[in-house]
Amino acid sequence: MVENKVNSKDLFNSIKVVLVGTTHPGNIGASARAMKNMGLLNLALVTPKEFPSDAATFRSKAAKDVLENAEVFDDLKDAVADCELVIGTSARDRKVPWPVLNPKESAEQVAKSALHHQIAIVFGREDRGLTNEELGLCNLHVHIPSDPEYSSLNISQAVQILTYEIRLCLLEQQKNQDNWDVELANNEQTERLIAHMDELMQEVEFYDIDNPRKLLLRVRRFFKRSRIDVMEANIFRGLFSTIQKKLK
Ligand code: SAH
């Protein structure tokens, strides 16, 4: 079986839920509970009206640890500074043209990124959502396709829907990971493989060192895209070493 494989905790741990300007502390507690039910524990709060608060603690039930560990920020920019993928939620169509996904599509994007990147899912104020400026900080927008006549869900229910979809995708990804017989090569191992291939290409004068054009980039993209495992990396490196020995 695969040792050292990425476990669910790592995948789930790369995601944080960010609540911006929440007015009712009960909604913070209910959101924490919704998150923890789905295995997500990282909560960030941007200028909450009242926090910590008894109402939040009460509504969180057994997710008090999520509240205790919540980070509080003055600005959304700071809350998402360390994230490579930021997804903003919106209860209605905005004037800002941006890629808008549904919850399932956005969860797929999250699952794709969760292995290597930090991700934030951002929720807005109960009365007026996120500002255009805040939505502008996001890579993608997600809209739960609710009835246009009454499109705005309670924030904790929106948190529940998105975190549920994310959980489904992460569980699926984990299942695929578990089925794989060998551990995936980590970044350093892949980098060593690419460097080794470059060394060999230079030895056989495969390309003009003064003008490599996009060759190395394309080689790099190939190995990164294929997410090779440790054994595959070793096979290539063994082959490169054997050729190098024969050349000498
Ligand atoms: N009147 C506000 C509604 C905010 S509801 C507005 O028009 O934006 C509070 C938050 O819950 C939203 O900012 C969003 O984070 C989330 N939310 C509610 N309904 C949603 C929906 N249909 N799709 C996506 N997010 C939603």
Side-chain angles (χ1 to χ4, degrees):
M1 218 31 226
V2 185
E3 278 181 303
N4 250 343
K5 67 176 186 300
V6 178
N7 60 35
S8 63
K9 242 201 179 136
D10 295 308
L11 282 179
F12 285 69
N13 211 3
S14 53
I15 300 161
K16 67 171 139 183
V17 168
V18 184
L19 307 183
V20 180
T22 316
T23 318
H24 301 291
N27 279 335
I28 298 178
S31 298
R33 179 182 185 178
M35 288 166 59
K36 189 170 177 182
N37 282 144
M38 297 301 124
L40 298 177
L41 304 176
N42 303 324
L43 175 64
L45 304 171
V46 178
T47 57
K49 186 157 180 234
E50 191 190 328
F51 187 81
S53 119
D54 288 346
T57 307
F58 178 72
R59 288 287 297 281
S60 72
K61 294 286 178 187
K64 294 180 182 55
D65 52 334
V66 174
L67 295 181
E68 279 158 17
N69 295 324
E71 289 187 282
V72 180
F73 295 89
D74 287 333
D75 199 317
L76 177 59
K77 245 188 213 149
D78 299 329
V80 300
D82 60 342
C83 296
E84 284 90 6
L85 177 62
V86 180
I87 300 181
T89 56
S90 178
R92 58 198 155 93
D93 285 342
R94 300 282 174 151
K95 303 249 152 36
V96 206
W98 222 259
V100 181
L101 306 181
N102 67 32
K104 184 163 182 274
E105 291 161 343
S106 67
E108 284 160 3
Q109 293 296 321
V110 169
K112 263 194 219 157
S113 293
L115 197 55
H116 301 291
H117 298 126
Q118 292 295 316
I119 301 154
I121 319 291
V122 186
F123 295 84
R125 299 159 190 84
E126 291 95 328
D127 56 347
R128 51 201 168 88
L130 295 167
T131 63
N132 285 339
E133 193 187 319
E134 287 161 345
L135 284 166
L137 292 174
C138 303
N139 301 103
L140 303 169
H141 296 165
V142 50
H143 173 67
I144 299 164
S146 44
D147 192 314
E149 290 294 312
Y150 186 27
S151 65
S152 159
L153 280 75
N154 170 270
I155 182 169
S156 68
Q157 293 178 348
V159 169
Q160 190 71 84
I161 288 173
L162 282 165
T163 54
Y164 170 68
E165 291 291 350
I166 290 169
R167 181 173 182 79
L168 286 187
C169 281
L170 291 184
L171 290 180
E172 186 62 25
Q173 180 159 325
Q174 233 183 300
K175 207 165 68 188
N176 296 337
Q177 196 101 32
D178 286 346
N179 286 339
W180 204 246
D181 57 343
V182 180
E183 188 189 335
L184 289 184
N186 65 25
N187 203 56
E188 190 191 338
Q189 289 160 332
T190 313
E191 287 301 319
R192 272 198 247 126
L193 170 64
I194 296 168
H196 198 163
M197 180 155 167
D198 185 25
E199 200 182 285
L200 175 61
M201 289 194 297
Q202 293 195 22
E203 275 176 47
V204 300
E205 294 170 6
F206 184 72
Y207 66 89
D208 179 359
I209 294 179
D210 296 327
N211 185 21
R213 302 208 294 200
K214 294 224 167 91
L215 176 73
L216 292 177
L217 183 68
R218 290 184 191 282
V219 167
R220 158 173 299 279
R221 190 175 64 183
F222 168 75
F223 283 116
K224 295 287 174 178
R225 190 182 65 206
S226 55
R227 311 281 289 271
I228 58 167
D229 68 36
V230 172
M231 195 157 337
E232 291 161 344
N234 286 341
I235 291 170
F236 278 111
R237 293 203 61 191
L239 171 67
F240 300 160
S241 298
T242 307
I243 298 171
Q244 285 173 318
K245 251 188 243 148
K246 288 269 180 197
L247 288 172
K248 275 173 193 151

